[in-house]
């Protein structure tokens, strides 16, 4: 069977709605079947996410505790020293991570000394043999090329939600701004990491619309993070209800079916999920998690490395091995 022949980029909203609204166990079964056709179901990629510059962001993303305009308990932290970041990356590799992602709370990348330092960080982490990922805000094509030349493997730029609901969540940039950055990343030859968040107050149709945007790109994102809203005190969405686990499972399963070759990442929200609930997500097609020595995912709580390793062992899963050449 030629797997490439089954990749589709012409999904319709109606088709995705039919998949999404199937009886849950039938949906999980179908997603699990697709997962086994495309991936080793016993492997989960361990990814480490480090905030290299925290807080003070001028954006108004309603979910984010790093926005300067919201009164949260998150402390502003300047860009970390390069040596500190490389040491974190080495520790992540030693703990079983095969991808290391560096996040800076910037609206956009500026061509200054801080960006030069990030380029040095990318080079250093790349030399460790890890997949190097960055999420730095909006990028020009020229900046994306610089990152690619330094050895960047992936760039994360989430859609967050549907185009229709986007303005309810963010007003300081447009949905098209996000698409433009993703296009610039593609042109530079960097793989794309793009997904979204559920629990923002969106409808099921918004979730389906977001998946439609991802699944009809000329090339599917190589990585699709599915996040549950991490409710941060002081942000406009702090009082939203906790996302139901079955909603996460439904999103993961749908993403797995319509984007079969992508890594589907069980991302924010795991701290509020039991091992049993996370196991259902793996059964539905998730094959990557974020973990970290600081037990945080950027600025919100997250399970730690040892806890995650114990869970994987209990479930009969193993960390995905690093590729001999990731870049």
């Amino acid at each position: 069977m030629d797997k490439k022949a089954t990749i589709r980029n012409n999904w319709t909203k109606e088709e995705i709605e039919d998949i999404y609204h199937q009886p849950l166990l039938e949906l999980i079964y179908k997603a699990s079947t697709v997962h086994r056709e495309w991936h080793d179901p016993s492997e989960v990629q361990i990814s480490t996410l480090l905030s290299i510059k925290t807080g003070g962001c001028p954006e108004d993303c309603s979910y984010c505790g790093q926005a300067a305009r919201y009164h949260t308990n998150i402390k502003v932290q300047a860009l970390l020293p390069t040596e500190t970041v490389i040491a974190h990356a080495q520790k992540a590799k030693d703990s079983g991570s095969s991808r290391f992602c560096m996040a800076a709370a910037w609206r956009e990348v500026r061509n200054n000394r801080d960006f030069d330092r990030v380029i040095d960080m990318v080079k250093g982490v790349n030399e460790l043999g890890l997949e190097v990922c960055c999420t730095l805000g909006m990028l020009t094509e020229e900046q994306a090329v610089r990152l690619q030349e330094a050895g960047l493997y992936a760039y994360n730029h989430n859609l967050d939600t549907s185009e229709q609901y986007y303005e309810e969540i963010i007003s300081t940039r447009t949905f098209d701004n996000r698409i433009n950055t993703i296009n610039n990343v593609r042109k530079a030859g960097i793989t794309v990491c793009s997904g979204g968040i559920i629990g923002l107050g969106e409808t099921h149709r918004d979730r389906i619309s977001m998946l439609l945007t991802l699944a009809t790109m000329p090339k599917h994102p190589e990585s699709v993070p599915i996040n549950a809203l991490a409710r941060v005190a002081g942000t406009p969405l702090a009082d939203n209800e906790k996302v139901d686990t079955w909603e996460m499972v439904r999103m993961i399963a749908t993403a797995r079916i319509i984007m079969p070759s992508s890594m589907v990442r069980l991302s924010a929200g795991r701290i509020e999920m039991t091992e049993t609930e996370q196991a259902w997500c793996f059964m539905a097609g998730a094959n990557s998690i974020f973990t970290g020595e600081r037990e945080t995912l950027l600025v919100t709580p997250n399970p730690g490395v040892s806890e995650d390793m114990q869970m994987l062992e209990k479930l009969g899963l193993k960390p995905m091995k690093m590729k001999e050449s990731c870049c």
Side-chain angles (χ1 to χ4, degrees):
M1 176 181 176
D2 183 4
K3 291 179 179 177
K4 290 184 179 179
T6 66
I7 292 284
R8 287 185 54 193
N9 304 82
N10 62 343
W11 292 96
T12 66
K13 180 173 281 190
E14 291 72 26
E15 288 175 318
I16 298 176
E17 284 177 341
D18 287 344
I19 293 169
Y20 181 92
H21 288 298
Q22 288 180 85
L24 186 60
L25 292 182
E26 182 68 15
L27 174 61
I28 294 171
Y29 171 74
K30 290 180 179 177
S32 182
T33 300
V34 171
H35 184 57
R36 280 156 173 72
E37 290 173 352
W38 287 81
H39 305 273
D40 182 342
S42 69
E43 288 189 341
V44 174
Q45 185 178 45
I46 308 299
S47 304
T48 296
L49 177 61
L50 176 69
S51 179
I52 59 173
K53 186 272 178 184
T54 306
C57 182
E59 299 275 34
D60 68 350
C61 306
S62 300
Y63 54 81
C64 186
Q66 299 197 68
R69 67 191 67 205
Y70 305 137
H71 300 290
T72 67
N73 293 322
I74 293 166
K75 295 180 180 178
V76 175
Q77 168 196 280
L79 191 66
L80 292 174
T82 303
E83 315 80 64
T84 301
V85 173
I86 303 304
H88 278 291
Q90 182 64 60
K91 192 167 184 178
K93 179 180 178 180
D94 295 342
S95 298
S97 289
S98 58
R99 175 177 288 208
F100 188 77
C101 188
M102 297 174 282
W106 292 334
R107 180 177 190 272
E108 60 198 352
V109 172
R110 298 180 184 277
N111 295 314
N112 56 22
R113 290 182 180 178
D114 280 350
F115 186 40
D116 292 340
R117 288 171 58 192
V118 171
I119 293 293
D120 289 338
M121 294 174 192
V122 170
K123 291 177 179 177
V125 176
N126 184 49
E127 288 172 0
L128 296 178
L130 290 162
E131 290 184 0
V132 195
C133 178
C134 280
T135 178
L136 312 169
M138 292 184 287
L139 275 182
T140 65
E141 188 175 347
E142 292 74 22
Q143 291 164 341
V145 168
R146 280 194 68 191
L147 287 166
Q148 190 276 333
E149 291 174 345
L152 191 71
Y153 179 79
Y155 195 82
N156 168 259
H157 204 62
N158 289 332
L159 299 181
D160 288 344
T161 188
S162 70
E163 182 174 7
Q164 296 76 18
Y165 192 64
Y166 189 84
E167 291 182 359
E168 299 296 321
I169 302 301
I170 305 161
S171 70
T172 48
R173 75 169 92 171
T174 67
F175 192 82
D176 284 344
N177 288 151
R178 292 195 181 266
I179 297 297
N180 289 340
T181 290
I182 291 170
N183 290 340
N184 290 337
V185 168
R186 275 278 178 235
K187 290 175 187 175
I190 299 169
T191 66
V192 171
C193 175
S194 187
I197 307 169
I198 66 173
L200 303 175
E202 76 288 346
T203 65
H204 290 290
R205 289 185 65 84
D206 287 316
R207 296 174 186 178
I208 290 164
S209 179
M210 181 190 74
L211 290 174
L212 176 68
T213 299
L214 296 169
T216 54
M217 288 179 174
K219 186 175 183 180
H220 294 163
E222 286 79 1
S223 173
V224 180
I226 303 296
N227 298 274
L229 173 67
R231 296 162 294 172
V232 179
T235 62
L237 303 184
D239 295 327
N240 280 26
E241 292 184 5
K242 175 183 176 296
V243 172
D244 183 83
T245 297
W246 298 120
E247 297 294 311
M248 285 288 285
V249 170
R250 190 173 290 279
M251 280 291 289
I252 287 167
T254 305
R256 170 53 65 217
I257 291 170
I258 64 177
M259 294 175 280
S261 66
S262 301
M263 300 293 293
V264 178
R265 303 188 183 278
L266 174 58
S267 300
R270 286 199 305 121
I271 194 68
E272 295 190 86
M273 298 172 71
T274 65
E275 288 184 346
T276 301
E277 290 171 329
Q278 292 180 69
W280 277 106
C281 293
F282 296 132
M283 181 62 71
N287 59 346
S288 179
I289 57 173
F290 281 108
T291 192
E293 61 186 81
R294 293 177 171 179
E295 300 188 352
T296 58
L297 189 63
L298 294 183
V299 294
T300 56
N302 193 65
V305 178
S306 59
E307 186 179 345
D308 282 333
M309 291 302 179
Q310 290 172 14
M311 175 185 67
L312 293 183
E313 184 176 2
K314 189 180 298 183
L315 297 177
L317 301 173
K318 59 189 178 185
M320 188 177 292
K321 293 181 180 179
M322 286 181 291
K323 300 173 186 177
E324 291 184 6
S325 178
C326 69
C327 306

